[in-house]
Structure formats: structure tokens, C-alpha cells
Amino acid sequence: PLDRLPKKNILLFLGKLFVKWRKKMKKYDERKPGFFASLVKDRDEYLDYLQTAILETAREGNCILIGAGDLTISEIPIQDGDLVIAVDGGYEYCKLLEITPDYILGDFDSISEKEAESVAAIAKENEDKVIILPVEKDDTDTLAAIKLGLSEGYQSFRIYGGMGGRVEHTLANMQCLLYLKEPNAVGYLMDGTG
């Protein structure tokens, strides 16, 4: 979400782009037939600059995924501009570590009934924050979270709670790191030492 990105960085980056855009602008004469067409073109160009500023700022942060595997740390470093996604049972770790995730995503097959009620209450309050996936699907919950992070413009991923527990989950999370190579992103499976 945009509210997690440092506004100062967006404004600084946008300011640099705007200076370039102002230099390209010509003095307009509204009596000329191409005046309105030029405004539309420049509006589109400005919106492209705005999108670039937002995506560049997002790239400065990390997409932090918190899964339900082994997690032996008492703190996860989160900076301004980071996107935090609780992946399925990883929501329980978020609660233990007092982390408010930007998104809670999964098929929720690995959470307790109490946690399921908590997630349902959050979804009722803010339906965009909770993404419920079908139990039968092609992607793992972690890969779905990675795709969400990529769609938000993030290129650097930290996966906590992605190892231990079920061997097939650990192997699938290692494959997720390979998936990140295609869009030129990077990912790390974080252990207890960070």
C-alpha cells in the first residue's frame, strides 16, 4: 500500500522527474488546434512519471513475508517503505512479534480457529487487507505472496518462517527464490540470525 512508502522519497524522486518534464514542456497557445491533444499527452507523461516515482520508491524497501515455518527470532527488522505480508499461519507470528502486516494472505489451512476468527474480523473491517486463496491451487501461498509483492513494485524479498516444519514447504520456498530471478528480483530465506 502506498501509505507504507516514505512520502519524502516519492516527492524527491518526483521532483527530479518533474524538472525534466518542465524543460520539455513548450509554451502553449490555446488557439492552436493541437493544444488539447498536447495537454492529454503531457498528462499521460506526468502520470507515467508519478508511477515511476512510486515504483522506484517501492524498490528501495523490502517485501517481508512471514510464513508459518520455524521462526526463532524475537524481532523482524521493518523499515519505512517495506511491505509486510503475513502468509497463512505466519499471521500468528505477526501477532506474537506485534507486527501489523499490510496484507494477510493464504488459504488459512494452517491457522487455529481463534486466529481464523481474528482474520475474519480484520477482513470484515478492511476486505482489501485479507486475501483468501483456494485450498486447491497451482501456486503455494508463499509464491502468491511473492507475486503480490512484485505487483506492488518490490524487487527485494525477505522470507521469514520459510524453512523448517514440513520439508515440502521448505523446498517450495527455495523454488520461490528461483522464481524471483525471472523478474530480476532477489529473495532471501531468513533464519534465526537474520
Side-chain angles (χ1 to χ4, degrees), residues 2-35:
L2 293 178
D3 61 343
R4 292 287 301 209
L5 297 177
K7 291 173 182 60
K8 181 180 85 175
N9 293 9
I10 293 174
L11 292 174
L12 286 173
F13 192 82
L14 192 56
K16 292 175 189 173
L17 292 173
F18 187 71
V19 168
K20 292 178 186 176
W21 179 64
R22 291 279 297 169
K23 288 179 182 176
K24 288 175 57 177
M25 284 181 61
K26 301 174 191 123
K27 189 167 182 153
Y28 291 112
D29 183 352
E30 61 271 2
R31 294 170 287 180
K32 291 185 179 177
F35 173 72

Side-chain angles (χ1 to χ4, degrees), residues 93-173:
Y93 285 134
C94 288
K95 288 183 74 172
L96 285 171
L97 298 173
E98 299 179 354
I99 295 171
T100 303
D102 297 299
Y103 292 103
I104 304 168
L105 175 146
D107 55 20
F108 303 108
D109 63 347
S110 61
I111 62 174
S112 68
E113 187 175 320
K114 182 181 175 184
E115 296 305 322
E117 290 171 4
S118 178
V119 169
I122 293 169
K124 188 174 183 180
E125 185 178 307
N126 185 352
E127 64 185 41
D128 293 336
K129 187 172 182 161
V130 177
I131 301 169
I132 300 173
L133 302 173
V135 175
E136 292 187 28
K137 57 192 174 296
D138 292 333
D139 293 342
T140 65
D141 292 345
T142 303
L143 184 56
I146 286 172
K147 288 180 177 181
L148 174 61
L150 288 169
S151 74
E152 296 269 341
Y154 288 84
Q155 296 290 304
S156 179
F157 292 78
R158 306 289 186 267
I159 302 171
Y160 291 88
M163 297 185 292
R166 293 168 47 187
V167 174
E168 64 270 22
H169 283 182
T170 300
L171 292 174
N173 290 334

